[in-house]
Amino acid sequence: MIALFKNGAAQPNLSASSLKLFTIPVPSLQEQQRIVSKLDALSKETKRLEEIYQAKLKALGELKESILEKAFNGEL
């Protein structure tokens, strides 16, 4: 559509009146709601996975500290 409505030879541009002629496809309301629902579910799952990841990082840090403490105390 840009190629169809652009004006000028040396400096092609789009005027506001040309932009008004553009047709912009928009999904139906039902499709938009489906997309939002899917994105909400993905966001929720991402947050859940982040919490698991953070818990594992914390556990690994604690394990590292425990191993180092045992090593310094000659328990390994």
Side-chain angles (χ1 to χ4, degrees):
M1 292 196 72
I2 292 172
L4 183 65
F5 290 108
K6 70 181 179 183
N7 304 355
Q11 287 259 255
N13 62 59
L14 287 171
S15 66
S17 58
S18 293
L19 284 174
K20 288 180 185 177
L21 301 173
F22 275 43
T23 54
I24 301 172
V26 176
S28 69
L29 182 58
Q30 181 182 4
E31 179 67 7
Q32 290 178 44
Q33 290 169 337
R34 188 188 68 75
I35 292 168
V36 167
S37 176
K38 197 169 213 173
L39 289 173
D40 285 344
L42 284 171
S43 177
K44 190 175 186 179
E45 179 66 6
T46 301
K47 287 176 184 171
R48 186 185 73 81
L49 290 172
E50 182 181 9
E51 288 172 4
I52 291 170
Y53 177 74
Q54 292 298 330
K56 288 184 182 284
L57 280 178
K58 182 180 178 190
L60 283 172
E62 291 170 358
L63 177 62
K64 178 182 173 184
E65 286 181 29
S66 174
I67 291 171
L68 286 173
E69 185 177 332
K70 287 184 181 205
F72 288 130
N73 291 333
E75 298 175 21
L76 289 181

